[in-house]
Amino acid sequence: MGLLALLLLCLSLLFSLSSGEVSQTLGVCYGTLGNNLQSLSKSVQLIKALNAKRVKIYNADPEILEALKGTNLQVSIMVPNELLSNISKNQTLADVWVRSNVAPFIPAVKIRYLLVGNEILSSSDEVTHISLVPAMHRIRASVKAMGFKKIKIGTPLSMDVLESSFPPSNGTFRPEFSGRIVKPLLQFLNRTKSFFFVDVYTFFPWASDPVNIKLDYALMSATNITYIDPGTGLTYTNLLDQMLDAVVYAMKRVGFPDIRLFIAETGWPNGGDIDQIGANIYNSATFNRNIIKKLTAKPPVGTPARPGIALPANIFALYNENKKTGPGTERHFGLLYPNGSNIYPIDLSGKTPESEYQLLPMPTNNEPYKGKIWCVVAEDANRTDLGSALGYACGQGNGTCDPIRPGGKCYRPNSLVRLASYAFSSYWAQFRKVGGTCYFNGLAVQTTKDPSYGACKVPSITL
């Protein structure tokens, strides 16, 4: 019996090391880039109602932290990107930041993860790149000196830190980062027993290649689709596992095979622009419910390269945030509408059976829209801002706005909306393939209704 008890103890310890206190609870990312969101106290109530066990915020907002006091939620806070350069060179600044933003809330707020910057290596700022790891060392020294033993230091990176992710066994970090930034980062994470925090979205690779990547495979709902990695012989049944294992093999390739992964962000958009396929409520609910089922399974499922290892994760995001910039999907990743109501029923604990959920509205945009699309002034656009936006669109050259100049077929001096709509559509038609968007700081929206008038034919795009 003594030997058996010892064996069980060893197994228990092994399991705790592999899965840790973060084993099978999910969190939510609480972004605040909206002008119509619920109050902080109400937001905290909504987070708890989702059965989240942790929450990630994108700063160290004292009002949010005050609202989180006594909630028992594990909290991730963030050092803003713009502070990294100075903190990396000055321990006093690191001490001041931790003393001001962490110390006042311990232990009433369970701050467990202190993230230094956000997707730093996705930017083109070389100074911030080289400041990342030194800043992490400074912040950890401050946290350690103040006796906050339960806080792990990390930094979330996106999947574009990889040069290669397919097949998973070929996972490789980008050469410009691998030796001088990623390897020191991994040394830090390994020595401090922290996590490699990664933002992983299956939506983006699927949307960029929906022919070769099957939607069900990206949604984690495929029943008859598998991929066998020729390098390892491992069988994959969903795209998420492939992407995560690509990171695992990239770390292994530079000498760090055992650093734990933490999914800092994942999710699927519930809406988007007309030219964005697959962004709808059905797919969003399907993906998020499937990942919850996977990550809360007992015992832990892990990935093919790391079977049985728990994966802590945060679902992005709490709300649809109407002030986020970029394509429409950026404003439609929420689990909740800004008024606090559910976009679809969801339970982050994983305890609600699928059978208890009501039927979802069937998707209508899983394939590209077949027809013309224009970019026009949004109904609620601030008219005083249109002039500068029109000037920007026309200033890009290539005859973008020739027809709306005096004497042109589309010249309407008394209609700023018509002039701007032409400029927006013409700009978008010319520059969409090289990254131009139909957004213009929220002044523009896509439409399938032809805004042409009289002899004026407004340019459009087709997918």
Side-chain angles (χ1 to χ4, degrees):
M1 285 295 292
L3 183 60
L4 178 60
L6 182 60
L7 177 61
L8 290 173
L9 177 61
C10 289
L11 288 173
S12 174
L13 287 172
L14 179 63
F15 179 78
S16 66
L17 285 172
S18 65
S19 54
E21 67 168 321
V22 296
S23 58
Q24 299 185 252
T25 56
L26 293 179
V28 66
C29 300
Y30 178 18
T32 56
L33 295 178
N35 62 5
N36 54 355
L37 306 181
Q38 298 299 293
S39 69
L40 299 181
S41 59
K42 177 64 175 178
S43 295
V44 171
Q45 292 176 19
L46 292 168
I47 291 168
K48 293 167 70 176
L50 291 169
N51 290 323
K53 298 303 181 185
R54 65 170 62 88
V55 60
K56 171 186 172 183
I57 61 175
Y58 291 84
N59 47 35
D61 188 323
E63 293 184 352
I64 296 179
L65 292 174
E66 189 69 31
L68 288 167
K69 281 185 175 180
T71 61
N72 210 37
L73 291 165
Q74 292 188 8
V75 179
S76 300
I77 64 172
M78 190 173 287
V79 181
N81 292 4
E82 60 269 20
L83 298 184
L84 267 59
S85 178
N86 289 334
I87 286 177
S88 71
K89 297 174 287 191
N90 191 319
Q91 187 60 50
T92 299
L93 285 180
D95 293 342
V96 168
W97 195 92
V98 173
R99 190 177 299 114
S100 302
N101 295 284
V102 179
F105 302 99
I106 300 291
V109 180
K110 293 177 67 174
I111 298 174
R112 291 293 180 265
Y113 308 102
L114 207 170
L115 305 177
V116 180
N118 189 40
E119 296 188 345
I120 290 296
L121 300 185
S122 298
S123 76
S124 58
D125 187 349
E126 176 71 15
V127 173
T128 307
H129 292 172
I130 62 176
S131 300
L132 174 59
V133 179
M136 294 175 71
H137 280 281
R138 298 283 190 191
I139 291 293
R140 182 172 187 272
S142 300
V143 167
K144 188 175 180 181
M146 295 181 201
F148 304 140
K149 297 179 180 179
K150 293 183 178 181
I151 298 178
K152 294 290 185 186
I153 311 299
T155 188
L157 300 176
S158 71
M159 288 296 295
D160 64 7
V161 73
L162 298 184
E163 178 185 48
S164 173
S165 60
F166 184 80
S169 61
N170 196 43
T172 309
F173 290 113
R174 286 163 56 181
E176 65 267 36
F177 298 141
S178 182
R180 63 194 185 98
I181 299 174
V182 171
K183 194 164 185 179
L185 169 63
L186 296 177
Q187 289 170 338
F188 173 89
L189 299 177
N190 189 58
R191 183 172 61 83
T192 61
K193 296 182 174 58
S194 189
F195 297 85
F196 189 99
F197 291 85
V198 61
D199 297 345
V200 53
Y201 293 89
T202 63
F203 169 76
F204 295 111
W206 169 77
S208 67
D209 190 10
V211 173
N212 293 307
I213 301 174
K214 301 306 178 185
L215 178 58
D216 283 350
Y217 195 73
L219 291 173
M220 304 176 66
S221 58
T223 56
N224 58 354
I225 304 173
T226 58
Y227 171 74
I228 299 176
D229 188 320
T232 60
L234 294 174
T235 298
Y236 290 86
T237 59
N238 64 79
L239 183 57
L240 181 79
D241 281 349
Q242 280 191 216
M243 296 171 74
L244 292 172
D245 278 356
V247 178
V248 169
Y249 284 108
M251 292 193 293
K252 184 177 182 180
R253 184 162 273 108
V254 292
F256 295 90
D258 301 319
I259 294 175
R260 296 174 294 176
L261 290 181
F262 194 125
I263 301 175
E265 289 181 15
T266 191
W268 192 286
N270 57 66
D273 295 324
I274 298 168
D275 67 337
Q276 294 185 290
I277 66 170
N280 54 63
I281 289 175
Y282 185 95
N283 291 347
S284 180
T286 300
F287 176 84
N288 282 329
R289 289 172 183 175
N290 282 340
I291 196 171
I292 291 168
K293 182 178 179 181
K294 173 184 172 67
L295 298 183
T296 58
K298 297 181 181 180
V301 177
T303 67
R306 289 183 173 178
I309 305 299
L311 280 164
N314 295 315
I315 303 294
F316 185 88
L318 182 61
Y319 295 114
N320 279 354
E321 299 168 63
N322 68 346
K323 290 301 180 180
K324 293 198 72 176
T325 60
T329 49
E330 289 297 306
R331 294 174 289 284
H332 291 87
F333 267 94
L335 299 176
L336 307 176
Y337 291 111
N339 66 8
S341 63
N342 284 71
I343 295 173
Y344 47 82
I346 196 87
D347 176 6
L348 297 185
S349 74
K351 294 178 180 177
T352 301
E354 189 76 23
S355 59
E356 290 191 16
Y357 291 129
Q358 294 181 347
L359 291 177
L360 295 164
M362 294 305 294
T364 59
N365 64 345
N366 283 346
E367 294 183 358
Y369 176 77
K370 295 177 175 62
K372 294 181 178 181
I373 309 173
W374 291 265
C375 179
V376 299
V377 173
E379 286 187 10
D380 59 350
N382 187 329
R383 298 304 191 257
T384 60
D385 293 335
L386 283 180
S388 59
L390 186 153
Y392 172 81
C394 293
Q396 304 309 301
N398 289 352
T400 306
C401 292
D402 286 355
I404 59 173
R405 301 188 191 282
K409 291 183 178 180
C410 300
Y411 180 58
R412 295 292 187 276
N414 297 322
S415 180
L416 180 59
V417 169
R418 279 188 166 176
L419 293 174
S421 290
Y422 184 96
F424 292 171
S425 263
S426 182
Y427 166 86
W428 192 44
Q430 289 190 47
F431 297 105
R432 179 177 179 271
K433 290 184 178 179
V434 292
T437 64
C438 175
Y439 183 64
F440 295 95
N441 290 326
L443 299 175
V445 65
Q446 295 179 23
T447 181
T448 58
K449 183 179 179 181
D450 189 351
S452 300
Y453 47 93
C456 177
K457 301 302 178 185
V458 179
S460 63
I461 67 110
T462 53
L463 302 180

